[in-house]
Amino acid sequence: INAEYMGYPQKEISLDVKFQSISCRKQTKGMQQIPSADVDRLVLSYLNKRGYRDAESIFRRESNVQSLGEMAQSLSLEELARAIATTQLARGGADGGVCGAAAYSHGFHELRAWVWSSLDLYKPELMLVLFPVFVHCFIRLVMGEWTTEAKEFFAKYSVDHNELHRDELLSMQAVATPEACQDNEVVQAFLSCKAPIRMCCYSYELLIQFLHDSNLLAIRSIVNQHLDIQSFSGEPVQVVPHEQRLGTLTGAQTATLNQQPVQWYLLDPEQYTTLHSIESMAAKAGLLNKRAAKAIGEPKAKKSKTMKEPNPTMVSNFDLPRMSEQLEQRMVEDAKHRVSLDARALPSICMCTFLNANESVNCIDVSADGGLVCAGMSTSCVTIWDLKENGAGGGDGRSFWGHSGPVYSSSFSPDDRFVLSSSEDGTARLWSLETRSNLVCYRGHNYPVWAVEFSPLGFYFATASHDRTARLWSTDHIYPLRIFAGHLGDVDCLKFHPNCNYVATGSADKTLRLWDVQSGACVRIFTGHHAPIHSLAVSPDGKTIASAGEDCSIMLWDLGSARRIKTMHGHTSAVWALDFSAEGTLLASGSGDFTVRLWDVEAPIPEPPAATPAPRETADLLQTVRTKRTTVTKVKFTRRNLLISAGVFQPR
């Protein structure tokens, strides 16, 4: 009999049944009444074991029952599992005398105590097992209709995992019936894929030996069926990756998707410009970065004998709009006057503060040259200020009306001629700054649209919504071109890759995903945050993506290898905005702790061991600029590397 149900995959077992006092009418706590047919089957198995062949044949003929071996040929897997479970009950319980629901509670208690008492050398790896085992113990208690025991189990052990798995626990807390398990997405996600766990060979041997010696058959069954433990030779890992500590729901899917190749290269300029290269033309003019060298007073650098190889380029598989000559000329002019930034030459920062607007301004966006500021209002309008025309005061601004709900996001087109906005009414609208009117209303989402973003070349844009999807649009179609579905929570933010071939999305399910625009498929899943993600930024060279959110940390990811580069700590509240400098050497962040912070992207930071708390500030934090009491919800580097930040003043 295949007894994978009891934790023995692909093994032949014999049932040694000994009856001391079995009463079909007697029913103890946590133990269901055994049907008479099952009792007859157990008696038949006992006679066969003792070798009473004649008595066995007579009893089988008179009772008209089948042995477990015969049932294996005719019953379904579920019916066979029930029969095996009944046999275990007759033996005195699945775990050495502990019956029914108590097998899972007792088994997890023993496993938890053993892990916490293990050596510090192996504890970080062994602790990875606890959360998925806890989840499946709870699921089995609910599926077995042990409602009281399930609630007690959840209340007793969920505290251990509240820090890293708050959202999953909140979702599971409402599960009390088998029907609720079928409708709960967190439960179904754990049941549909195995949790990936990596540990050294010796840690794995310790775990298996403990499960065998303790005779925890219920826990062993969960480990065999729902954990994908991969052992490796060598020393145990002291720095456990975030994604393993989180016990991600998409573990199996992540391992497969992250092996796909990603074309992170920049676009060939000939595909979208009439000039061969805007940057090279500015460099030939002899004006690029001169002001930066003069500002820091450095001597003229000597020419290197070995020239740095340029980044490879690619040609997009779909049609891209051509830049207008006016925009190209503006970009060349900005490149000529751009200041070079690094850890020794930090940018100038301009702060735009909204006063008396803490309950009316929902979002802020700044144009590429810093001349326009747009705010989405809770009064359903979009207001735009021209700083070049009205000066630092901004004036009264121009309001655009059309939405029927609060505006949650806005985005300027690359040429600053249009503005996109998204709202609670489930629509995105395109506004013309020249005619000061609404041109198109895009409908497709069924719930509020949290974010909208123009592509780097315009024409295409993307939206993110409460319906857990992101969608790709073009300005000349009123229907979406692609629907990116896969997140388990709200999609709160998104960002285009510089080559326009990919869209990155951050979600309330604490994952970051990268989507192929051409196919609509997910090609990367990054897990490591333990709170919703609110902001994203892609480096100008397309190699790196930064993410941040409510966990106050900023993570850098390598798109090619799908690995986390480092984690940066320093903020004490949720991070609402991120942006890279034009060279990609600096990263700016804005937070609810009323600060703007600058980070050194290239500085290596070693990962702390899993058992140690995160540092208050990491060494790559270059500068902290504090406001009076302004929540910074937007940071943006202009094409000339001026950093513009914006937010709403919060009165005491």
Side-chain angles (χ1 to χ4, degrees):
I1 300 173
N2 187 304
E4 185 175 350
Y5 177 83
M6 295 186 298
Y8 294 95
Q10 299 179 355
K11 284 187 178 181
E12 297 293 328
I13 67 169
S14 60
L15 302 178
D16 185 8
V17 183
K18 296 182 180 179
F19 290 95
Q20 296 176 359
S21 59
I22 296 181
S23 173
C24 297
R25 298 180 180 178
K26 186 177 181 181
Q27 185 174 0
T28 59
K29 181 180 180 181
M31 184 175 180
Q32 295 182 344
Q33 182 175 352
I34 303 177
S36 59
D38 292 337
V39 175
D40 293 340
R41 191 175 298 110
L42 294 173
V43 173
L44 182 64
S45 178
Y46 172 77
L47 295 175
N48 179 268
K49 180 69 176 178
R50 300 292 294 176
Y52 301 136
R53 306 301 179 188
D54 295 338
E56 177 190 358
S57 59
I58 295 173
F59 186 79
R60 180 183 289 110
R61 185 170 57 253
E62 292 181 354
S63 60
N64 194 25
V65 297
Q66 293 176 306
S67 66
L68 291 177
E70 295 170 341
M71 289 176 61
Q73 305 296 328
S74 59
L75 297 182
S76 64
L77 181 61
E78 291 77 8
E79 293 172 331
L80 180 60
R82 177 177 171 272
I84 295 174
T86 302
T87 304
Q88 286 297 312
L89 289 175
R91 296 180 62 188
D95 286 345
V98 182
C99 299
Y104 298 104
S105 179
H106 169 74
F108 183 78
H109 175 78
E110 293 294 325
L111 175 65
R112 176 176 175 270
W114 176 77
V115 169
W116 280 102
S117 63
S118 60
L119 294 177
D120 292 340
L121 183 63
Y122 307 105
K123 186 184 296 184
E125 291 183 335
L126 295 174
M127 288 185 66
L128 301 176
V129 179
L130 291 180
F131 181 67
V133 172
F134 161 79
V135 172
H136 286 286
C137 285
F138 174 74
I139 293 174
R140 292 195 177 188
L141 288 173
V142 174
M143 294 296 291
E145 298 184 356
W146 291 300
T147 305
T148 303
E149 290 81 355
K151 290 182 178 179
E152 294 175 353
F153 177 83
F154 187 88
K156 183 176 182 180
Y157 298 109
S158 61
V159 181
D160 297 344
H161 314 285
N162 192 47
E163 180 180 357
L164 296 179
H165 306 279
R166 180 184 58 186
D167 294 340
E168 289 93 332
L169 294 175
L170 288 175
S171 177
M172 292 168 52
Q173 191 173 13
V175 177
T177 62
E179 292 75 16
C181 288
Q182 302 296 327
D183 299 332
N184 188 277
E185 292 188 357
V186 174
V187 172
Q188 290 303 311
F190 273 98
L191 293 176
S192 61
C193 65
K194 293 186 176 182
I197 297 175
R198 293 188 77 251
M199 60 177 62
C200 71
C201 295
Y202 193 71
S203 297
Y204 178 70
E205 292 175 1
L206 288 176
L207 176 63
I208 297 303
Q209 187 66 33
F210 166 76
L211 294 176
H212 181 269
D213 294 344
S214 303
N215 197 28
L216 302 176
L217 299 183
I219 303 301
R220 194 174 349 179
S221 169
I222 292 174
V223 171
N224 286 338
Q225 294 184 38
H226 300 290
L227 269 62
D228 181 16
I229 301 179
Q230 301 175 0
S231 60
F232 59 89
S233 58
E235 297 295 325
V237 177
Q238 296 301 307
V239 181
V240 179
H242 272 275
E243 54 268 22
Q244 291 196 44
R245 278 189 279 169
L246 290 175
T248 173
L249 305 181
T250 55
Q253 187 182 12
T254 301
T256 303
L257 291 178
N258 288 351
Q259 294 176 358
Q260 302 181 40
V262 170
Q263 301 292 330
W264 53 264
Y265 316 116
L266 298 181
L267 287 174
D268 186 351
E270 294 183 354
Q271 189 176 4
Y272 61 92
T273 63
T274 56
L275 304 175
H276 179 65
S277 173
I278 294 174
E279 296 286 349
S280 62
M281 284 197 63
K284 288 178 182 178
L287 297 174
L288 185 61
N289 298 337
K290 277 189 176 181
R291 295 188 177 184
K294 187 182 295 185
I296 57 180
E298 292 184 351
K300 195 172 182 179
K302 296 182 179 180
K303 293 184 179 180
S304 176
K305 294 182 179 179
T306 59
M307 300 236 354
K308 186 177 179 180
E309 295 183 1
N311 291 329
T313 59
M314 62 171 291
V315 177
S316 178
N317 296 326
F318 59 95
D319 295 333
L320 291 175
R322 289 270 179 180
M323 281 188 185
S324 64
E325 293 185 5
Q326 182 182 4
L327 177 59
E328 290 185 30
Q329 292 174 0
R330 287 167 53 188
M331 294 183 68
V332 170
E333 187 69 21
D334 289 337
K336 289 179 182 179
H337 295 85
R338 179 185 302 163
V339 177
S340 180
L341 302 178
D342 55 30
R344 295 173 296 176
L346 300 180
S348 299
I349 304 177
C350 174
M351 182 68 195
C352 301
T353 303
F354 288 77
L355 301 176
N356 304 318
N358 57 316
E359 295 183 357
S360 58
V361 174
N362 294 330
C363 63
I364 303 172
D365 191 34
V366 181
S367 62
D369 62 356
L372 299 173
V373 176
C374 176
M377 302 294 186
S378 59
T379 55
S380 307
C381 73
V382 178
T383 305
I384 299 175
W385 291 266
D386 191 336
L387 301 184
K388 294 180 180 179
E389 179 181 330
N390 300 321
D396 295 332
R398 301 193 303 267
S399 295
F400 298 81
W401 298 86
H403 285 292
S404 59
V407 178
Y408 292 126
S409 180
S410 60
S411 176
F412 282 100
S413 63
D415 57 5
D416 297 338
R417 295 175 55 207
F418 305 98
V419 171
L420 280 168
S421 62
S422 64
S423 169
E424 186 187 43
D425 59 14
T427 67
R429 290 180 179 264
L430 180 67
W431 310 88
S432 172
L433 300 185
E434 297 174 350
T435 63
R436 302 186 181 185
S437 61
N438 180 220
L439 301 180
V440 189
C441 178
Y442 304 95
R443 304 179 186 275
H445 292 286
N446 299 321
Y447 293 94
V449 182
W450 302 129
V452 64
E453 180 84 11
F454 257 117
S455 73
L457 299 177
F459 187 67
Y460 296 103
F461 68 93
T463 55
S465 173
H466 176 63
D467 61 11
R468 304 181 182 181
T469 67
R471 306 190 183 209
L472 178 72
W473 311 72
S474 64
T475 53
D476 62 344
H477 290 79
I478 62 173
Y479 53 83
L481 305 179
R482 297 286 186 275
I483 298 178
F484 308 121
H487 280 293
L488 301 178
D490 292 22
V491 183
D492 294 327
C493 56
L494 50 83
K495 204 75 176 179
F496 271 92
H497 192 273
N499 64 18
C500 302
N501 284 264
Y502 301 97
V503 174
T505 56
S507 171
D509 65 7
K510 300 175 289 188
T511 65
L512 163 64
R513 292 178 181 245
L514 189 70
W515 307 87
D516 188 339
V517 169
Q518 185 69 16
S519 63
C522 179
V523 295
R524 286 288 184 272
I525 301 179
F526 300 100
T527 57
H529 286 281
H530 36 85
I533 300 173
H534 291 319
S535 54
L536 300 173
V538 183
S539 61
D541 60 6
K543 296 180 181 179
T544 309
I545 186 169
S547 61
E550 289 187 12
D551 57 5
C552 308
S553 63
I554 303 172
M555 296 187 181
L556 292 183
W557 310 88
D558 183 85
L559 292 182
S561 62
R563 294 182 180 275
R564 181 164 50 92
I565 300 173
K566 63 178 179 178
T567 303
M568 299 180 288
H569 298 279
H571 284 292
T572 58
S573 184
V575 181
W576 295 103
L578 295 172
D579 197 27
F580 281 94
S581 62
E583 303 88 358
T585 55
L586 299 182
L587 178 68
S589 61
S591 170
D593 59 8
F594 313 136
T595 64
V596 176
R597 299 179 190 249
L598 295 172
W599 310 83
D600 187 356
V601 175
E602 299 176 346
I605 298 296
E607 289 291 337
T612 61
R616 185 173 181 180
E617 290 185 357
T618 49
D620 50 6
L621 176 59
L622 298 175
Q623 185 182 24
T624 299
V625 181
R626 302 185 184 278
T627 65
K628 290 184 177 180
R629 283 189 61 84
T630 300
T631 300
V632 183
T633 57
K634 184 67 179 182
V635 291
K636 188 178 184 67
F637 281 97
T638 66
R639 288 191 287 259
R640 300 189 181 190
N641 265 340
L642 170 67
L643 178 59
I644 298 180
S645 56
V648 179
F649 180 77
Q650 305 291 334
R652 294 182 182 275

